[in-house]
Amino acid sequence: MKKLILSLFAMVCTTIAFAQFPGGQMPEFKPEEMAKHMTDRLKDSLQVNEDQYKKLYDINLKQANEMKEMMDKMMQGEQPEFNREAMQKRQEEQNAAIKAILTEDQYKRYEEMQANLRKRMASMGGGFGGGF
């Protein structure tokens, strides 16, 4: 999951850095939209109920807000601090929270989705320094 977060963050940053926007304006990154998109994908893939959806949305919103904070710092010219241990701890906490929400079968499928995403990202040259 840590690799997934880092890969998604890298994709967002790369897309922003290289995309051409009408009028030279970059669209605003909205954590709520990102959280909804991520949660909708889980809803479709895992057939989560409404209660699960709300809880997953809250987790994804927290993650999206953290990503926005890092992106804002980067846009202001700051270099975000990548603390591998802290990121891994956050990811483990997020996985534990997700596992507590999903059924055993749903969580198995969730892990399979994450593994497939990591494979796709690796085949596209994603990741950081090959260490992930």
Side-chain angles (χ1 to χ4, degrees):
M1 188 69 180
K2 169 181 74 170
K3 294 176 190 175
L4 171 66
I5 300 299
L6 291 173
S7 297
L8 288 173
F9 181 72
M11 280 182 25
V12 169
C13 291
T14 303
T15 301
I16 289 170
F18 294 106
Q20 303 248 342
F21 301 107
Q25 293 288 329
M26 181 178 69
E28 183 180 351
F29 176 83
K30 296 178 181 163
E32 296 80 9
E33 290 178 11
M34 176 75 134
K36 183 178 181 332
H37 174 75
M38 291 167 42
T39 309
D40 286 347
R41 288 192 58 183
L42 293 176
K43 179 182 179 184
D44 295 340
S45 300
L46 304 176
Q47 290 84 42
V48 299
N49 63 39
E50 202 58 37
D51 184 53
Q52 289 174 312
Y53 183 92
K54 290 175 186 174
K55 291 175 182 177
L56 291 168
Y57 175 83
D58 290 341
I59 290 170
N60 288 329
L61 182 59
K62 179 181 176 188
Q63 176 186 346
N65 280 322
E66 290 172 358
M67 286 178 61
K68 179 164 180 20
E69 185 178 318
M70 288 179 67
M71 289 175 62
D72 288 346
K73 287 181 181 179
M74 289 175 65
M75 298 304 274
Q76 295 171 3
E78 294 180 38
Q79 288 293 329
E81 190 174 312
F82 288 103
N83 180 329
R84 182 180 217 131
E85 291 79 23
M87 290 179 81
Q88 184 173 5
K89 183 177 187 233
R90 275 196 308 261
Q91 194 55 54
E92 289 169 359
E93 290 169 355
Q94 181 175 352
N95 282 340
I98 289 172
K99 188 174 186 175
I101 294 167
L102 300 176
T103 65
E104 188 176 327
D105 183 54
Q106 286 172 323
Y107 190 72
K108 252 185 223 181
R109 286 185 288 161
Y110 171 78
E111 287 181 315
E112 290 170 4
M113 289 171 50
Q114 302 311 310
N116 288 334
L117 182 58
R118 283 191 296 274
K119 285 179 189 174
R120 282 198 320 257
M121 293 300 295
S123 71
M124 294 174 20
F128 293 93
F132 286 88

